[in-house]
């Protein structure tokens, strides 16, 4: 198990602060050993919780040119036909994956191809399951022209806890299925928009793994 690069600085400074506070407590509050030991235990638990936010497990990636692979770990919470207004301005099938704080927060390319559109949107921090979070929250939008033709749009969406979205792609980049395209610190949601005739391979409520679970198959 590795620690993702996005978490190394946060973890380092958090560890320094916790060590400093605990050492100070033992010096200034030496007579209250019980409290100090409880505080040490609480500090350790807090650091371990933060540590698991930034874990980067090894993955055997699954790739296929006409299959859509889950871009993140989490649970499928939406499968529906909607009007996508930012890029396509027509009806698309939306698949949404909710990332809880205990999920891996790496986001991966669901398809291989060329990035034809990218935009970062500053915004609010509504809870991820709020209907307006996909258009009101901080988010990124990426559109990839797949190797087999159809365009696929996917969004990183910040939630109530997530206050920082990181991305590694730009317009014109060639991306490979399963590779990291970003990171959402402390989790949230990823939306994927595909043609309405796309064949679904998952159901609402199903848990998926980024880079491994097939969620849909493009019609070509």
């Amino acid at each position: 198990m590795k620690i993702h690069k996005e978490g190394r600085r946060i973890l380092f400074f958090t560890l320094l602060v916790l060590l400093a506070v605990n050492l100070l407590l033992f010096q200034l509050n030496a007579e209250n050993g019980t409290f100090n030991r409880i505080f040490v235990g609480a500090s350790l638990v807090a650091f371990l919780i933060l540590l698991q936010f930034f874990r980067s497990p090894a993955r055997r990636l699954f790739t296929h040119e006409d299959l859509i692979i889950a871009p993140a770990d989490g649970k499928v919470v939406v499968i529906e036909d909607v009007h996508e207004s930012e890029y396509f301005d027509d009806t698309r099938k939306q698949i949404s994956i909710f990332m809880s704080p205990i999920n891996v927060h790496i986001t991966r390319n669901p398809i291989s191809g060329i990035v034809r559109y990218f935009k970062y949107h500053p915004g609010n921090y509504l809870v991820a399951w709020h209907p307006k979070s996909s258009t009101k929250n901080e988010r990124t939008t990426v559109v990839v022209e797949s190797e087999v033709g159809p365009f696929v749009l996917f969004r990183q969406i910040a939630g109530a806890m997530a206050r920082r979205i990181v991305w590694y792609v730009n317009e014109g980049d060639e991306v490979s299925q399963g590779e990291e395209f970003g990171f959402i610190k402390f989790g949230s949601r990823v939306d994927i928009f595909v043609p309405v005739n796309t064949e679904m391979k998952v159901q609402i409520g199903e848990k998926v793994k980024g880079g491994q679970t097939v969620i849909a198959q493009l019609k070509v």
Side-chain angles (χ1 to χ4, degrees):
M1 180 73 68
K2 297 189 300 183
I3 301 302
H4 196 275
K5 63 182 180 181
E6 298 297 341
R8 292 169 190 164
R9 179 176 295 183
I10 293 174
L11 289 167
F12 176 73
F13 285 108
T14 300
L15 182 60
L16 286 182
V17 169
L18 289 175
L19 285 173
V21 171
N22 277 278
L23 288 173
L24 195 61
L25 269 179
F26 274 92
Q27 288 183 350
L28 302 181
N29 194 34
E31 70 281 359
N32 197 343
T34 300
F35 175 82
N36 292 344
R37 287 190 292 274
I38 292 173
F39 193 85
V40 168
S43 298
L44 180 60
V45 170
F47 185 76
L48 289 176
I49 291 173
L50 187 62
L51 185 67
Q52 67 87 31
F53 286 157
F54 293 104
R55 68 193 189 279
S56 179
R59 288 282 165 88
R60 187 185 295 266
L61 302 178
F62 181 87
T63 61
H64 197 282
E65 61 183 8
D66 67 343
L67 297 178
I68 306 295
I69 308 300
D73 290 19
K75 184 168 71 171
V76 178
V77 294
V78 173
I79 299 175
E80 63 181 1
D81 291 349
V82 299
H83 182 80
E84 197 295 304
S85 59
E86 179 178 351
Y87 183 83
F88 296 113
D89 196 23
D90 66 11
T91 301
R92 296 276 152 163
K93 189 176 294 295
Q94 176 182 334
I95 310 148
S96 298
I97 298 171
F98 175 72
M99 306 162 65
S100 78
I102 63 172
N103 286 128
V104 174
H105 301 147
I106 297 166
T107 50
R108 300 178 182 274
N109 296 303
I111 198 80
S112 295
I114 305 295
V115 177
R116 297 304 184 192
Y117 175 84
F118 173 85
K119 189 170 184 179
Y120 167 73
H121 304 265
N124 300 322
Y125 299 99
L126 303 171
V127 291
W129 54 85
H130 194 288
K132 293 185 178 181
S133 65
S134 61
T135 56
K136 298 296 184 182
N137 280 15
E138 179 192 8
R139 63 198 182 279
T140 62
T141 301
V142 183
V143 179
V144 171
E145 181 181 3
S146 69
E147 292 180 341
V148 292
F151 283 57
V152 176
L153 182 153
F154 42 100
R155 289 194 180 107
Q156 299 169 296
I157 302 170
M161 288 183 64
R163 299 298 175 111
R164 181 83 167 92
I165 290 177
V166 181
W167 62 90
Y168 313 132
V169 297
N170 293 288
E171 285 186 22
D173 287 353
E174 184 174 352
V175 296
S176 297
Q177 193 173 48
E179 287 186 352
E180 295 183 23
F181 81 84
F183 195 96
I184 307 179
K185 295 186 178 181
F186 306 109
S188 187
R189 197 173 105 194
V190 180
D191 289 350
I192 308 101
F193 295 82
V194 294
V196 292
N197 65 345
T198 300
E199 180 182 352
M200 294 305 306
K201 300 293 186 180
V202 292
Q203 298 178 340
I204 291 179
E206 188 170 337
K207 293 182 179 179
V208 298
K209 283 194 172 184
Q212 291 186 328
T213 305
V214 176
I215 60 174
Q217 184 170 17
L218 295 170
K219 297 292 186 181
V220 296

